[in-house]
């Protein structure tokens, strides 16, 4: 891919958990892309699976193969990635739970690598709508330090994330501010509905410890007995496993929402009389559409983000019964402060991004670039070299594992961050 820089165009690279078949993360990428799209802006999107992201986000943007999520990047694609970052005018990390290692450190590796390369080439970068924590490992803490050192500005989506970041990385508090979730940038695109009976209730669930199929089955049975059609929202591919299990129990009784592209995601919330969801962004779509909902909290982000909008009373836990959830949904009360808070959140996001895009960053001092180059090399090893060593270890381990003493194998596993 040959990149010719048009000086009349401002080139912007958007980075996040994009290409991982997660509707919420793809949607915040779309929200930021739509916000900055103009005749003078050329948008590139870093994605682990360019074909998947192009289908969901559309053909208006350039798609750049990156290190995560998806298959390991090739040597050619890695050099294209570096060359493209070097040509950018701005980098925006679009939001989501970037700074955490509770699921995996891979997303932190991916974002920190791009942030470090951008810093080395003196390209301004903004992280907006970011969720922080938990970060449990020493390696994760190191990645967080490198990421915060590399970006110019970071706006957290909730006060808890901001406080946790300042407690863990106090030396960077001067560049950290309270923002809001990037998805609020689409607030004006969603039709506000009056509460009405449509005979359809959305269910957005993910596989999670503490979620039992019996709980879902009881809920669906009660909905069906009330003459309501359950509509299952699959926001990740693994969610379809739950959907198929439920279909076996209730053949032809459950609809599946259409999430093939961003416009379909916005449309899929329409026509519901209510939503029961573990998914943060499904709940936020319901809030922005004035649709009654119950949020089932499995992660502090649910309480932090949704509670901030005045909907703490709409949050239950997975310990509640199906009856508790349905009673809560029927008794749903709209928040009297949500509308103002949504408008304020939209304006705050709009202002933060607008200021970053229009500011003159030529005087910004990019310190410790020599150290940043070392970080880039280390991250290149983690994101590029180590996955190939893991593949090789897996191959030879099938034939030679019994030849090695256990201490040697433990040493290899620790070095490769990999279990044979």
């Amino acid at each position: 891919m040959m990149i010719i820089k048009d000086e009349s165009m401002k080139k912007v690279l958007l980075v996040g958990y994009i290409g991982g078949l997660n509707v919420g993360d793809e949607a915040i990428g779309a929200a930021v892309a739509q916000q900055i799209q103009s005749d003078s802006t050329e948008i590139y999107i870093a994605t682990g699976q360019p074909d998947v992201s192009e289908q969901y986000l559309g053909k208006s943007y350039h798609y750049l193969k990156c290190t995560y999520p998806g298959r390991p990047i090739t040597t050619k694609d890695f050099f294209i990635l570096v060359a493209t970052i070097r040509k950018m005018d701005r980098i925006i990390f679009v939001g989501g739970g970037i700074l955490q290692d509770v699921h995996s450190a891979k997303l932190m590796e991916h974002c920190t690598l791009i942030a470090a390369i951008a810093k080395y080439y003196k390209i301004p970068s903004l992280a907006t709508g970011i969720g922080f924590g938990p970060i449990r490992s020493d390696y994760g803490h190191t990645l967080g330090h490198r990421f915060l050192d590399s970006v110019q500005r970071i706006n957290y989506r909730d006060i808890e994330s901001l406080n946790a970041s300042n407690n863990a990385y106090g030396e960077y508090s001067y560049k950290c501010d309270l923002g809001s979730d990037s998805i609020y940038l689409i607030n004006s695109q969603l039709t506000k509905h009056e509460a009405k009976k449509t005979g359809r209730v959305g269910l957005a669930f993910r596989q999670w410890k503490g979620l039992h199929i019996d709980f879902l089955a009881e809920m669906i049975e009660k909905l069906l007995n009330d003459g309501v059609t359950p509509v299952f929202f699959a926001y990740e591919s693994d969610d379809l496993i739950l959907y198929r299990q439920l279909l076996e129990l209730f053949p032809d009784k459950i609809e599946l929402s259409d999430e093939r592209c961003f416009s379909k995601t916005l449309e899929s919330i329409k026509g519901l009389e209510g939503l029961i969801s573990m998914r943060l962004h499904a709940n936020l779509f319901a809030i922005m559409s004035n649709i009654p909902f119950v949020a089932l909290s499995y992660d502090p982000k649910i309480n932090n983000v949704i509670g901030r909008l005045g909907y703490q009373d709409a949050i239950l836990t997975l310990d509640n019964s199906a009856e508790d959830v349905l009673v809560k949904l029927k008794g749903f009360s709209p928040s009297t402060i949500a509308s103002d808070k949504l408008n304020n959140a939209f304006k705050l996001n709009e202002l933060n991004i607008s200021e970053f895009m229009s500011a003159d960053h030529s005087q910004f001092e990019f310190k410790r670039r020599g150290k940043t180059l070392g970080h880039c090399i280390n991250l290149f090893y983690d994101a590029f070299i180590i996955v190939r060593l893991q593949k090789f270890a897996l191959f030879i381990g099938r034939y030679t594992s019994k030849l090695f003493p256990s201490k040697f194998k433990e040493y290899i596993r620790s070095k490769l961050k990999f279990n044979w």
Side-chain angles (χ1 to χ4, degrees):
M1 182 174 75
M2 189 176 193
I3 302 170
I4 302 174
K5 185 157 183 169
D6 181 354
E7 296 299 336
S8 66
M9 297 288 286
K10 187 172 287 184
K11 297 181 185 294
V12 185
L13 177 65
L14 304 186
V15 188
Y17 184 72
I18 301 175
L21 295 173
N22 183 301
V23 169
D25 287 292
E26 300 285 343
I28 60 176
V32 176
Q34 291 182 2
Q35 177 63 31
I36 65 173
Q37 191 171 27
S38 70
D39 292 339
S40 61
T41 305
E42 192 171 0
I43 298 173
Y44 291 72
I45 295 178
T47 167
Q49 301 183 82
D51 293 344
V52 170
S53 293
E54 183 173 348
Q55 178 181 342
Y56 187 82
L57 299 173
K59 299 182 180 295
S60 301
Y61 317 117
H62 303 280
Y63 295 92
L64 178 65
K65 180 72 173 76
C66 63
T67 61
Y68 183 80
R71 293 182 177 179
I73 196 169
T74 66
T75 305
K76 178 182 178 182
D77 285 337
F78 180 81
F79 285 110
I80 290 174
L81 174 65
V82 174
T84 305
I85 293 172
R86 189 177 181 180
K87 301 291 185 181
M88 294 296 106
D89 297 291
R90 303 284 190 276
I91 309 285
I92 299 178
F93 296 89
V94 298
I98 287 177
L99 294 178
Q100 56 81 27
D101 64 358
V102 67
H103 300 298
S104 166
K106 291 295 184 183
L107 180 57
M108 291 181 73
E109 284 181 352
H110 158 61
C111 292
T112 304
L113 173 63
I114 291 178
I117 294 171
K119 179 184 176 182
Y120 181 75
Y121 287 115
K122 298 185 178 181
I123 299 162
S125 60
L126 166 73
T128 186
I130 304 299
F132 182 95
I135 297 177
R136 295 176 175 171
S137 67
D138 291 340
Y139 179 58
H141 185 78
T142 298
L143 288 173
H145 176 91
R146 291 174 180 175
F147 182 82
L148 285 163
D149 184 67
S150 297
V151 298
Q152 282 181 258
R153 197 83 192 155
I154 180 164
N155 300 316
Y156 288 104
R157 68 186 176 193
D158 54 77
I159 188 64
E160 290 79 10
S161 290
L162 175 61
N163 289 340
S165 173
N166 287 341
N167 288 335
Y169 304 101
E171 67 269 36
Y172 298 113
S173 60
Y174 70 94
K175 61 170 70 176
C176 299
D177 264 323
L178 181 62
S180 55
D181 197 291
S182 300
I183 204 65
Y184 298 137
L185 290 167
I186 66 165
N187 185 37
S188 60
Q189 297 182 41
L190 285 169
T191 303
K192 307 299 187 293
H193 294 271
E194 294 295 330
K196 57 184 179 181
K197 294 290 184 181
T198 63
R200 303 170 84 244
V201 169
L203 304 174
F205 287 85
R206 65 179 302 175
Q207 296 203 75
W208 197 260
K209 183 180 180 180
L211 176 66
H212 303 291
I213 196 72
D214 292 344
F215 167 77
L216 291 176
E218 183 183 356
M219 188 182 302
I220 290 171
E221 186 171 12
K222 289 179 180 294
L223 289 172
L224 292 172
N225 289 340
D226 289 340
V228 173
T229 299
V231 182
F232 194 90
F233 283 62
Y235 270 26
E236 281 187 293
S237 56
D238 284 351
D239 297 353
L240 292 171
I241 298 173
L242 275 177
Y243 174 65
R244 295 187 190 104
Q245 289 175 328
L246 294 169
L247 273 185
E248 290 180 3
L249 299 173
F250 303 97
D252 302 320
K253 300 291 186 181
I254 309 171
E255 293 183 12
L256 182 65
S257 70
D258 187 350
E259 306 294 337
R260 80 185 80 169
C261 61
F262 184 53
S263 61
K264 290 292 184 182
T265 292
L266 298 186
E267 289 177 10
S268 64
I269 205 76
K270 298 176 183 177
L272 296 180
E273 67 177 57
L275 174 75
I276 302 166
S277 173
M278 292 172 66
R279 292 288 184 181
L280 172 63
H281 289 99
N283 287 316
L284 294 178
F285 290 143
I287 292 172
M288 289 187 282
S289 302
N290 288 342
I291 290 172
F293 73 98
V294 174
L296 295 178
S297 180
Y298 71 98
D299 186 282
K301 68 183 179 183
I302 300 291
N303 300 73
N304 297 343
V305 176
I306 294 175
R308 189 179 174 193
L309 294 173
Y311 278 111
Q312 191 62 45
D313 288 344
I315 302 173
L316 294 178
T317 68
L318 295 174
D319 294 330
N320 287 94
S321 68
E323 181 67 23
D324 292 337
V325 174
L326 293 176
V327 168
K328 176 70 74 173
L329 183 63
K330 290 176 182 177
F332 177 85
S333 297
S335 167
T336 57
I337 63 173
S339 180
D340 287 341
K341 283 186 171 289
L342 286 171
N343 288 331
N344 291 338
F346 168 76
K347 291 176 182 177
L348 179 60
N349 281 340
E350 186 180 43
L351 178 63
N352 286 336
I353 292 175
S354 176
E355 287 182 344
F356 173 72
M357 291 294 294
S358 61
D360 178 7
H361 297 280
S362 61
Q363 300 303 314
F364 184 83
E365 186 177 356
F366 290 86
K367 299 178 181 178
R368 300 193 296 267
R369 289 180 65 235
K371 189 173 182 180
T372 299
L373 178 60
H375 292 165
C376 290
I377 293 171
N378 287 336
L379 289 161
F380 170 77
Y381 170 79
D382 289 331
F384 184 78
I385 301 296
I386 200 169
V387 292
R388 284 155 175 78
L389 293 176
Q390 288 172 343
K391 186 176 180 180
F392 178 72
L394 179 64
F395 174 76
I396 67 167
R398 289 181 296 178
Y399 305 104
T400 63
S401 178
K402 293 181 180 180
L403 300 177
F404 298 121
S406 58
K407 287 188 177 180
F408 177 77
K409 288 189 287 187
E410 288 174 7
Y411 174 79
I412 294 296
R413 282 195 291 266
S414 66
K415 289 298 181 182
L416 295 185
K417 306 171 188 176
F418 180 81
N419 290 324
W420 279 351

